[in-house]
């Protein structure tokens, strides 16, 4: 509206599933935050549903770099998806976390959450072009950083 009324330029960013160090697990806290804390403290994890639901996990450092590029861009007055453009199942993420931690914590499975999205992945093509940005941190690297952070704060 401010763009239409006053000519104010804008850039809107739509984030995929953000994770990283210092993330809380209250309210809408992400599954990676919850799982890494539990694995770091040798606690069991519970996967809601069959674990084959997917998410597009993006490391917080990649979000920060996208925000910086958005502040600098001349390609304004549009919306960009900030994502890895990669679908990962919750089961695969949990297995990768076990590999990173060197532990074998077997998940228990609970009922699927009502209203939970089964597949979630965003195309980042527009952000790659318009913001000259791309994600740099792999899920393995980001999970490793996140796990080690939570392992230190026992």
């Amino acid at each position: 509206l401010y763009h239409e009324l006053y000519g104010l330029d804008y850039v809107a960013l739509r984030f995929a599933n953000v994770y990283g160090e210092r993330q809380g697990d209250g309210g809408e806290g992400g599954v990676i935050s919850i799982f890494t804390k539990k694995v770091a403290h040798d606690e069991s994890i519970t996967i809601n549903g069959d674990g084959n639901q997917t998410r597009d996990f993006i490391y917080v450092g990649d979000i920060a770099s996208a925000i910086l590029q958005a502040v600098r861009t001349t390609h304004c007055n549009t919306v960009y998806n900030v994502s890895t453009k990669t679908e990962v199942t919750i089961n695969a993420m949990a297995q990768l976390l076990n590999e990173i931690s060197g532990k074998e914590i077997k998940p228990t499975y609970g009922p699927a959450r009502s209203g939970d999205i089964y597949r979630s992945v965003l195309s980042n093509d527009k952000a790659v072009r318009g913001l000259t940005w791309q994600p740099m941190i792999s899920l393995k690297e980001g999970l490793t950083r996140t796990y080690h952070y939570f392992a230190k704060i026992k």
Side-chain angles (χ1 to χ4, degrees), residues 6-26:
Y6 307 110
L8 179 68
D9 288 336
Y10 69 91
V11 172
L13 302 177
R14 191 176 315 148
F15 303 145
N17 294 78
V18 183
Y19 71 95
E21 303 90 335
R22 298 175 190 84
Q23 181 180 7
D25 55 10

Side-chain angles (χ1 to χ4, degrees), residues 33-95:
S33 173
I34 295 166
F35 282 14
T36 53
K37 286 178 186 176
K38 287 185 176 283
V39 170
H41 299 110
D42 298 316
E43 298 174 14
S44 64
I45 58 174
T46 301
I47 294 176
N48 299 314
D50 64 11
N52 290 318
Q53 58 271 41
T54 62
R55 297 294 178 264
D56 184 341
F57 296 111
I58 184 159
Y59 184 67
V60 67
D62 285 329
I63 293 292
S65 69
I67 292 169
L68 183 61
Q69 289 302 104
V71 169
R72 295 176 173 166
T73 191
T74 58
H75 301 281
C76 298
N77 309 316
T78 192
V79 178
Y80 295 101
N81 291 333
V82 182
S83 71
T84 62
K85 195 177 164 182
T86 304
E87 270 183 291
V88 177
T89 67
I90 302 301
N91 285 329
M93 183 274 295
Q95 180 57 41

Side-chain angles (χ1 to χ4, degrees), residues 81-85 122-129 133-135:
N81 291 333
V82 182
S83 71
T84 62
K85 195 177 164 182
L122 301 175
S123 172
N124 65 13
D125 293 343
K126 190 173 173 184
V128 168
R129 286 188 317 270
W133 167 88
Q134 60 184 331

